[in-house]
Amino acid sequence: MDLIQFEQWVLKDFGIDLSAYKSNQLHRRIQSLMSRVGVNSVDEYVALLKKDQGQRQKFLDFITINVTEFFRNPDIFNEFKGKLQEELRINKRPLKIWSAACSIGAEPYSIAMILDEISPGVRHNIIATDLDATILEKAKKGEYTYSDVKNIKKEYIDKYFKVIGEKYILDNKIKSMVTFKKHDLILDRYDSGFDVIVCRNVVIYFNQDIKNDIYKKFSSSLNRSGILFVGATESIYNYRDFGFEKASTFIYKKL
């Protein structure tokens, strides 16, 4: 079995379409992972993944890039806070927000804390999705390490977390603001009627055709004047092709 055949096996067994990823980059990462776990061929690796649930999860974590932080890129996130305030002024109602590829929940919970600060008492609809069901269960628990929360302002830590030993336990009010669901950005249908979509540091791993398809579907999922917030390395150079205008360096508004 070669790496192309391995991609086909992963689609069948895991339901993940690896053909959407940048091929050379992906194959280097898979070969690196195989080397780390001590297998010498793709066939050996498939046999390992079939019998070892722990290795299956390691592979899934490796492929789905579960790297995230609260308020990642704080200066950019502060700009996003200003855009959320604009959306509230424009809409004069609770917002419908999608945090796509949310990993351990740091991003949607960051949004929830901001909304609790700028519109206290308003019940916004924050939907957070990821294709990794195991990581979603971790997100739902709302338990974090110091490394996870290092970008959070002390006033937010004091207000929204309980520190027990080395764990930072998120307040139930903030947890209750977010609904977690399993979703694959490549294979699954998209919901609609969103005022805000946040998808950061994920699309960069996909090939250009898949990127364009995702941006097109994000645009269709947004209400008019809705905003798309992307990662600090993910400028959309052809944003007009998807019906966006630039609202900030990494924030786009649907026309």
PDB file of all heavy atoms in Angstrom, residues 41 68 174 198:
ATOM      1  N   SER A  41       6.494   0.613   7.196  1.00  0.00           N
ATOM      2  CA  SER A  41       5.749   0.670   5.940  1.00  0.00           C
ATOM      3  C   SER A  41       4.324   1.114   6.215  1.00  0.00           C
ATOM      4  O   SER A  41       3.834   1.055   7.355  1.00  0.00           O
ATOM      5  CB  SER A  41       5.732  -0.705   5.264  1.00  0.00           C
ATOM      6  OG  SER A  41       4.917  -1.606   5.999  1.00  0.00           O
ATOM      7  N   THR A  68      -4.523  24.885  19.630  1.00  0.00           N
ATOM      8  CA  THR A  68      -5.380  26.047  19.802  1.00  0.00           C
ATOM      9  C   THR A  68      -5.043  26.728  21.116  1.00  0.00           C
ATOM     10  O   THR A  68      -4.341  26.171  21.954  1.00  0.00           O
ATOM     11  CB  THR A  68      -6.870  25.638  19.774  1.00  0.00           C
ATOM     12  OG1 THR A  68      -7.692  26.811  19.773  1.00  0.00           O
ATOM     13  CG2 THR A  68      -7.225  24.773  20.963  1.00  0.00           C
ATOM     14  N   ILE A 174     -20.503  30.004  31.158  1.00  0.00           N
ATOM     15  CA  ILE A 174     -19.828  30.114  29.867  1.00  0.00           C
ATOM     16  C   ILE A 174     -19.962  28.804  29.090  1.00  0.00           C
ATOM     17  O   ILE A 174     -20.224  28.809  27.877  1.00  0.00           O
ATOM     18  CB  ILE A 174     -18.353  30.492  30.057  1.00  0.00           C
ATOM     19  CG1 ILE A 174     -18.230  31.861  30.730  1.00  0.00           C
ATOM     20  CG2 ILE A 174     -17.619  30.485  28.712  1.00  0.00           C
ATOM     21  CD1 ILE A 174     -18.879  33.002  29.954  1.00  0.00           C
ATOM     22  N   VAL A 198     -16.214  31.754  12.686  1.00  0.00           N
ATOM     23  CA  VAL A 198     -14.810  31.791  13.078  1.00  0.00           C
ATOM     24  C   VAL A 198     -14.180  30.469  12.663  1.00  0.00           C
ATOM     25  O   VAL A 198     -14.622  29.400  13.088  1.00  0.00           O
ATOM     26  CB  VAL A 198     -14.651  31.999  14.598  1.00  0.00           C
ATOM     27  CG1 VAL A 198     -13.173  32.005  14.992  1.00  0.00           C
ATOM     28  CG2 VAL A 198     -15.329  33.289  15.031  1.00  0.00           C
TER      29      VAL A 198
END
